[in-house]
Amino acid sequence: MAKWVYSFGGGKSEGKSEMRNLLGGKGANLAEMSNLGLPVPPGFTITTEVCTHFYANKRSYPAELKAQTAAALGAVEKIVGRKFGDAKKPLLVSVRSGARASMPGMMDTVLNLGLNDATVEGLARESGDARFAFDSYRRFIQMYGGVVLDIAHHHFEELLEHAKSDRGYALDTEMTAEDWKELVVDYKAMVEKELGRPFPQDPHEQLWGAIGAVFVSWMNDRAITYRRLYQIPEEWGTAVNVQAMVFGNMGGDCATGVAFTRDPSTGENAFYGEFLINAQGEDVVAGIRTPQQLTKAGREKQGAKLPSMEEAMPETYAQLVAIRTRLERHYRDIQDIEFTVEKGVLYMLQTRSGKRTAAAALRIAVEMAEEGLIDRKTAVSRIDPSSLDQLLHPTLDPKAPRTLLSRALPASPGAASGIVCFSADEAEALAAGGKSVILVRIETSPEDIHGMHAARGILTTRGGMTSHAAVVARGMGRACVAGAGEIRVDYAAKTMSIRGRTIAAGEAITIDGGTGEVFAGEVPTVQPELSGHFARIMEWADSYRRMKVRTNAETPLDARTARRFGAEGIGLCRTEHMFFEPSRILAVREMIVADDATARAAALAKIMPFQRADFVELFEIMAGLPVTIRLLDPPLHEFLPHSEADFVELARTTGKSVAEVKARAEKLTETNPMLGHRGCRLAVTYPEIYQMQVRAIFEAAILVAKAKGETVAPEIMIPLVAVRRELDVMRDHIAKVAEEVRAATGEAVEYSLGTMIELPRAALRAGEIAETAEFFSFGTNDLTQTTFGLSRDDAANFLGAYEQQKILVRDPFVTLDQEGVGELVKMACARGRTTRPDIKLGICGEHGGDPASIQFCETAGLDYVSCSPYRVPIARLAAAQAALQESASAASLVKKPAAKKSAPALDRHARVRLDAARRGAVRPAPGRTAPLARLAVAKKPVVKKPVAKKPAPKKAPAKKAPVKKAPIKKKPAPKAKPKTKTKSKRK
Ligand code: ADP
Ligand code: MG
Ligand code: MG
């Protein structure tokens, strides 16, 4: 019989933390904590498979579920000695959702379930506290009403407000038992009116109502939005946890709280959290009351008056500290925990790995490695490369003048300026229009997620460090200042005011989520310092990395930034940008409208010194490193004038009439410029352009070598090659210039010639192109465009629909399409290497900075990735993780067949990769051995079996080849190519 329900509690569980897929994160960890002997109220988890079943079967449950649930509930009753629905000693439960990945605030928890008109009396009698019992009952009606019965929140709020104002109360705490009892009557009447039927009194009906609501909520809008933002598959489903209630609201010796085992903002190894005395459930995170600090140090740091838990409940606090250590040792990661204290007894209600800022992630990883909790590889693997973005971006310029408006909680670091806006929808709309927005809310809720995502920063006037706004902002890497209680927000008037000053929607403010400060207007920012833990992780990452990381840069500023970030050369210098400078564009235009080669050469001669100066500066910055320069790529009409004044000026300098100049421009206009007269096609018709460029490159290299004693190794890259002969023609032009420069200066420049692979034909014919090309650089932007036949400039209009209808999972311009474009890349690599075993392979499209695509580049065995300067550290880390993963999977490949009998243990994909390793297709970088190849060599006996299964390679009779040599045996080298003419290592 299928098992749909897993029990936990009473010191043992049917589940464990590894069963997260089945039990959800919350359920799996409740089970694990219970197994560890921690005090967890007993309960059970209804699995995610029930959710799947629910949606696959017209929202119905598997037949066995009722009985299994009843049995599990019976077990809970036994442990706590209470009965569900019993009027004397009622068992109350919470019903909590819990998906595989934590989705904070996405699904609502119902507490105190099992209360009705009869059990509430039992609870009152038994606890001797009628006030507590009726307060719990009204909370239950309110939560259940909202979550399960879909009754709007404000109905309850209004009744509560009336109840208080009628009695002249300001606070909930002034309500007496009698008052709550009366409110319960009002609540029930209102529910009956809204619903058309009474509030359910049968605890079992309540239970199944709540379970159903959790499953249904998996498909609500906010859950769907969250899943889309974080790419959580819908198929995962959620589990439901039903757990015996414990009460943090039974008096002064009760409390509820949340904590992080380390500081989630800075990563400091200090216990960190908030709690509330005499409170239940989500009161801490909801921001209704301002919570107290967990530790004395924390309280002192904040200058708060109310005592910390350490001071108010020292014994319970000591137990909590012991659990903190226990959990960290067990999970070997920072934990985010929820707990409740009932009459001095501590209960654990949740643990999960804590969300942390990028800075905290680095510090925690480094310190845990140093503490010996994890090893360095784990430390490196733990950092999400994309999250480094948060650190690489500017912070407030300390010298800049500023007007402080308020200071509140530093909820998520980073500085952000933008215009104030008060609703998530507006924030989204303004951001879509290119505006920087600061979303200002009293507090945020899951409905605001899209606006928080669109905003640069978030400011709330209520709530603590663990409020919804703070948690979500940290996860998203948005700056956030929370709990700015001094600021009053008026949604209707769209203003925020503070100490007599009013700021309206649309005015700029700046927030610093690292200090909690809020400033008027825009405050300038400065670059971050990249040292300490960041440097440590990078150093470790670099020791595991196989691929090199270069940058795409053409300006000195970009090149310097990239070097500071650790770039190991330039992988793409786009020379067209250099043509657009105001001081040069006129000469460029003269060149374009020139009637013949002589006139063209004259115009080009004016541009040449500029180009040379550009390269001199770049080469100085990059001295000692390779620099790949792509010769002019875009169609010429991009440089042509647009305004009348420009045409007039061009006419004047060229001595032509305006009409003539315009006619020339007209002629250059193309129907489909993306597929038109661009790239090397330009130089087929106008070779002088490329000749000028390479002359500038060679002369610059000579100048820099003379001045610095060191220069770069220029790699000249020809764009848009489809046919090998195109490259041959370019090679000859370039060789001619090289010879002229040598004759004139007596110096020979060492350079290499290669090509972009950005057209499918080039990928297909890579074998013969490699006869001329000494390197390939995959221009995956154009290669994606041409492989899909999909215009990058127009795709945005409809790619959204493609993603929505799941035709494409990811935007192929962001993450490389491994199946299609990736196949071409792999094919071109293999064919290129067959011709030229030492061909250098890299990628220079946007994908070079995308971690998922970098992983692919590692498997494809590229030598380097190249990306924009700010992504260089991200790429370094992603490349290290890819190398670690690759060697881990190679290791498991080698192990698997050893455990089983023979090759069939390998799946097809694995076998292909193992073969690739054996053939050396996963190529080591010079001086290093690729992890796969290394392993295949090292573990010879194991590799033997898959070898034997495979059809023997044609030229090496496998039978006779000694086993130990098989893996390292190189294919007979292709007949050595004579060095191409371009390899001009002449003296
Ligand atoms: P979320 O996923 O939003 O964190 P939870 O299911 O963790 O929701 O519930 C929120 C809070 O409700 C918990 O932190 C805890 O304080 C309270 N809670 C849940 N179950 C119980 C219980 N069995 N007894 C007491 N409090 C509970
Ligand atoms: Mg919640
Ligand atoms: Mg929780």
Side-chain angles (χ1 to χ4, degrees):
M1 195 174 68
K3 187 166 173 60
W4 305 103
V5 177
Y6 287 71
S7 292
F8 59 83
K12 59 180 191 317
S13 320
E14 294 176 322
K16 53 182 176 180
S17 66
E18 288 76 22
M19 290 160 77
R20 156 183 291 268
N21 292 359
L22 186 65
L23 304 180
K26 200 179 286 169
N29 285 327
L30 282 169
E32 186 82 1
M33 282 199 292
S34 208
N35 284 333
L36 289 174
L38 301 183
V40 176
F44 55 89
T45 304
I46 299 175
T47 69
T48 55
E49 285 174 355
V50 175
C51 187
T52 313
H53 181 285
F54 183 76
Y55 283 105
N57 295 278
K58 301 191 189 133
R59 306 197 169 203
S60 70
Y61 298 122
E64 307 91 339
L65 186 65
K66 278 254 142 88
Q68 293 186 12
T69 304
L73 192 61
V76 175
E77 289 175 333
K78 216 178 232 160
I79 296 173
V80 298
R82 305 164 163 277
K83 280 218 165 322
F84 194 54
D86 185 66
K88 287 211 191 83
K89 252 189 135 189
L91 165 67
L92 303 185
V93 296
S94 62
V95 176
R96 323 168 62 187
S97 63
R100 260 196 234 185
S102 102
M103 292 169 62
M106 298 313 294
M107 310 267 186
D108 290 315
T109 293
V110 178
L111 302 178
N112 310 333
L113 188 140
L115 279 175
N116 60 23
D117 296 349
T119 54
V120 71
E121 299 290 352
L123 185 66
R125 251 193 321 273
E126 195 206 343
S127 64
D129 187 347
R131 187 185 180 281
F132 150 74
F134 281 93
D135 180 21
S136 300
Y137 192 18
R138 69 93 197 175
R139 283 175 190 255
F140 169 56
I141 297 174
Q142 182 164 346
M143 270 192 225
Y144 194 90
V147 176
V148 182
L149 305 176
D150 222 16
I151 294 169
H153 196 57
H154 69 89
H155 289 300
F156 295 102
E157 287 292 295
E158 280 161 17
L159 286 175
L160 175 59
E161 284 309 313
H162 282 147
K164 285 199 291 191
S165 64
D166 287 354
R167 293 169 172 88
Y169 300 159
L171 300 171
D172 288 11
T173 44
E174 293 172 70
M175 294 280 284
T176 64
E178 235 5 79
D179 296 335
W180 286 129
K181 204 170 191 170
E182 283 166 24
L183 185 63
V184 162
V185 174
D186 293 346
Y187 271 10
K188 285 195 300 180
M190 181 273 291
V191 168
E192 183 156 4
K193 187 164 148 261
E194 289 297 316
L195 204 66
R197 59 189 156 85
F199 185 83
Q201 289 288 315
D202 175 5
H204 290 278
E205 184 189 339
Q206 293 172 356
L207 180 61
W208 286 101
I211 293 170
V214 172
F215 287 137
V216 167
S217 74
W218 180 248
M219 290 294 184
N220 72 24
D221 288 345
R222 23 186 251 209
I224 290 169
T225 305
Y226 191 91
R227 285 202 291 274
R228 187 163 45 78
L229 286 175
Y230 291 94
Q231 292 171 0
I232 296 171
E234 194 177 292
E235 303 77 66
W236 283 6
T238 180
V240 182
N241 301 290
V242 178
Q243 186 177 27
M245 282 301 299
V246 289
F247 297 97
N249 55 337
M250 278 170 88
D253 54 354
C254 302
T256 185
V258 297
F260 287 86
T261 54
R262 298 186 185 211
D263 187 325
S265 253
T266 64
E268 188 191 345
N269 187 0
F271 203 15
Y272 180 87
E274 293 167 336
F275 85 119
L276 274 176
I277 292 181
N278 196 13
Q280 186 172 41
E282 298 205 294
D283 293 356
V284 179
V285 284
I288 293 165
R289 279 161 60 188
T290 297
Q292 290 157 244
Q293 286 292 304
L294 204 64
T295 63
K296 185 159 172 273
R299 177 180 67 75
E300 283 164 356
K301 210 155 149 194
Q302 288 215 337
K305 281 188 213 75
L306 288 172
S308 63
M309 184 177 180
E310 188 174 0
E311 294 155 306
M313 307 181 149
E315 279 164 35
T316 326
Y317 175 76
Q319 285 173 39
L320 191 61
V321 170
I323 289 176
R324 165 201 181 213
T325 313
R326 185 85 197 277
L327 287 174
E328 271 210 353
R329 303 248 142 225
H330 183 71
Y331 286 100
R332 294 164 191 277
D333 198 5
I334 173 185
Q335 295 295 297
D336 167 354
I337 60 180
E338 298 176 4
F339 62 90
T340 283
V341 182
E342 179 182 310
K343 301 229 174 268
V345 182
L346 176 67
Y347 292 96
M348 296 304 297
L349 291 171
Q350 190 167 338
T351 190
R352 62 184 167 200
S353 101
K355 282 204 194 308
R356 63 211 86 172
T357 63
L362 289 172
R363 177 162 182 182
I364 291 167
V366 169
E367 291 187 350
M368 284 194 167
E370 281 164 357
E371 288 159 31
L373 270 183
I374 55 176
D375 62 18
R376 287 182 180 182
K377 286 182 182 169
T378 309
V380 165
S381 306
R382 264 207 194 149
I383 311 295
D384 169 11
S386 315
S387 76
L388 294 182
D389 224 13
Q390 292 176 41
L391 301 175
L392 306 176
H393 284 289
T395 50
L396 290 182
D397 179 352
K399 290 192 287 289
R402 60 194 72 186
T403 313
L404 184 68
L405 291 177
S406 187
R407 185 175 283 131
L409 300 176
S412 177
S417 300
I419 56 173
V420 168
C421 124
F422 296 100
S423 87
D425 288 344
E426 260 171 67
E428 193 178 49
L430 286 166
K435 290 270 190 295
S436 298
V437 179
I438 305 292
L439 178 62
V440 180
R441 300 284 300 166
I442 295 174
E443 58 192 319
T444 62
S445 75
E447 277 88 3
D448 298 322
I449 290 232
H450 60 295
M452 298 172 77
H453 194 252
R456 289 284 170 89
I458 297 138
L459 169 63
T460 65
T461 58
R462 226 195 265 165
M465 291 293 282
T466 46
S467 63
H468 179 267
V471 170
V472 172
R474 283 197 293 270
M476 284 178 173
R478 295 293 179 278
C480 177
V481 171
E486 268 190 317
I487 299 178
R488 290 178 50 87
V489 168
D490 184 338
Y491 286 140
K494 294 196 177 183
T495 57
M496 56 185 258
S497 47
I498 171 155
R499 281 184 249 137
R501 178 172 184 156
T502 300
I503 292 172
E507 287 182 50
I509 60 166
T510 299
I511 61 170
D512 185 336
T515 62
E517 291 165 315
V518 183
F519 304 99
E522 237 174 80
V523 182
T525 51
V526 287
Q527 299 302 325
E529 198 51 61
L530 301 172
S531 54
H533 302 105
F534 175 88
R536 232 24 225 293
I537 285 283
M538 281 305 174
E539 180 193 312
W540 295 348
D542 287 345
S543 74
Y544 302 126
R545 180 157 61 85
R546 179 190 62 82
M547 288 189 292
K548 296 265 182 209
V549 175
R550 299 197 197 178
T551 190
N552 298 349
E554 39 273 333
T555 66
L557 176 66
D558 279 354
R560 275 197 203 97
T561 306
R563 269 210 92 159
R564 198 159 56 84
F565 286 150
E568 297 162 301
I570 291 182
L572 176 65
C573 167
R574 304 174 178 92
T575 52
E576 55 271 19
H577 292 238
M578 299 169 162
F579 280 48
F580 277 111
E581 294 259 310
S583 55
R584 319 173 182 181
I585 187 71
L586 192 61
V588 173
R589 287 171 180 162
E590 278 178 58
M591 181 266 294
I592 296 170
V593 298
D595 291 320
D596 53 34
T598 329
R600 224 167 13 246
L604 282 164
K606 292 189 200 167
I607 308 169
M608 202 329 248
F610 290 113
Q611 273 270 266
R612 190 176 52 211
D614 292 331
F615 291 128
V616 165
E617 202 169 359
L618 271 190
F619 291 176
E620 278 174 356
I621 296 169
M622 286 289 158
L625 298 173
V627 172
T628 304
I629 300 147
R630 181 182 68 188
L631 303 184
L632 194 66
D633 183 35
L636 291 180
H637 75 86
E638 281 197 11
F639 300 103
L640 283 172
H642 302 289
S643 73
E644 193 60 30
D646 285 345
F647 275 115
V648 172
E649 192 188 11
L650 184 58
R652 202 173 41 237
T653 42
T654 54
K656 294 177 191 288
S657 72
V658 173
E660 268 177 310
V661 174
K662 280 190 174 163
R664 180 87 181 110
E666 188 67 27
K667 253 185 95 183
L668 281 169
T669 307
E670 294 178 317
T671 314
N672 202 340
M674 204 58 101
L675 302 177
H677 194 186
R678 55 173 279 223
C680 66
R681 296 162 197 173
L682 273 179
V684 168
T685 48
Y686 309 126
E688 308 83 13
I689 300 177
Y690 279 13
Q691 283 166 345
M692 179 278 287
Q693 290 195 292
V694 294
R695 183 180 301 276
I697 293 168
F698 293 151
E699 291 185 5
I702 292 168
L703 284 174
V704 174
K706 277 211 180 110
K708 291 197 91 172
E710 188 180 35
T711 190
V712 302
E715 299 173 343
I716 296 170
M717 180 154 80
I718 308 299
L720 219 72
V721 165
V723 182
R724 179 231 170 129
R725 177 85 189 123
E726 286 172 318
L727 193 58
D728 290 348
V729 169
M730 299 305 131
R731 174 198 58 200
D732 295 344
H733 289 314
I734 293 165
K736 188 161 152 260
V737 176
E739 183 49 37
E740 285 166 12
V741 171
R742 193 191 61 79
T745 63
E747 308 274 344
V749 176
E750 208 175 289
Y751 69 98
S752 59
L753 178 83
T755 180
M756 302 273 279
I757 300 287
E758 52 187 336
L759 295 173
R761 193 183 192 283
L764 292 165
R765 305 304 297 167
E768 63 181 346
I769 291 174
E771 286 173 17
T772 306
E774 292 164 284
F775 64 87
F776 287 165
S777 178
F778 292 95
T780 48
N781 299 344
D782 262 321
L783 189 59
T784 299
Q785 172 164 268
T786 51
T787 300
F788 277 90
L790 181 64
S791 159
R792 293 170 73 193
D793 301 330
D794 305 307
N797 294 332
F798 53 87
L799 269 188
Y802 269 64
E803 285 180 62
Q804 252 157 35
Q805 296 177 40
K806 298 181 182 157
I807 299 169
L808 289 175
V809 185
R810 304 243 178 102
D811 178 341
F813 292 110
V814 174
T815 293
L816 190 82
D817 159 48
Q818 301 192 10
E819 290 151 10
V821 179
E823 183 83 27
L824 282 171
V825 171
K826 283 195 220 158
M827 178 195 295
C829 288
R831 294 185 180 183
R833 278 189 188 124
T834 308
T835 304
R836 187 189 289 270
D838 66 343
I839 190 165
K840 201 186 277 183
L841 301 170
I843 182 172
C844 63
E846 288 303 304
H847 303 103
D850 168 60
S853 310
I854 291 171
Q855 170 78 53
F856 166 82
C857 295
E858 175 70 31
T859 13
L862 297 193
D863 297 307
Y864 69 87
V865 298
S866 186
C867 58
S868 63
Y870 274 97
R871 297 204 73 85
V872 166
I874 297 172
R876 283 164 68 195
L877 182 56
Q881 292 180 352
L884 286 173
Q885 204 167 315
E886 189 71 2
S887 62
S889 68
S892 75
L893 280 187
V894 173
K895 266 184 222 136
K896 254 192 228 155
K900 295 241 173 179
K901 292 193 296 277
S902 62
L906 293 173
D907 64 22
R908 201 194 64 82
H909 179 67
R911 211 173 293 137
V912 167
R913 298 215 342 249
L914 191 56
D915 283 350
R918 284 182 37 248
R919 285 196 313 269
V922 176
R923 227 174 108 266
R928 288 207 218 170
T929 317
L932 262 174
R934 191 163 56 222
L935 273 153
V937 173
K939 310 262 174 158
K940 51 202 170 176
V942 189
V943 189
K944 178 190 166 192
K945 284 164 189 167
V947 170
K949 277 268 163 191
K950 264 205 26 81
K954 259 185 268 152
K955 279 163 207 160
K959 256 197 296 182
K960 280 182 205 152
V963 171
K964 67 174 180 188
K965 274 194 192 152
I968 39 171
K969 177 130 188 165
K970 278 230 165 126
K971 263 181 138 182
K975 86 178 150 52
K977 294 284 161 209
K979 284 270 179 229
T980 46
K981 281 184 225 158
T982 53
K983 189 95 177 185
S984 41
K985 292 192 174 158
R986 283 155 295 180
K987 249 277 109 113

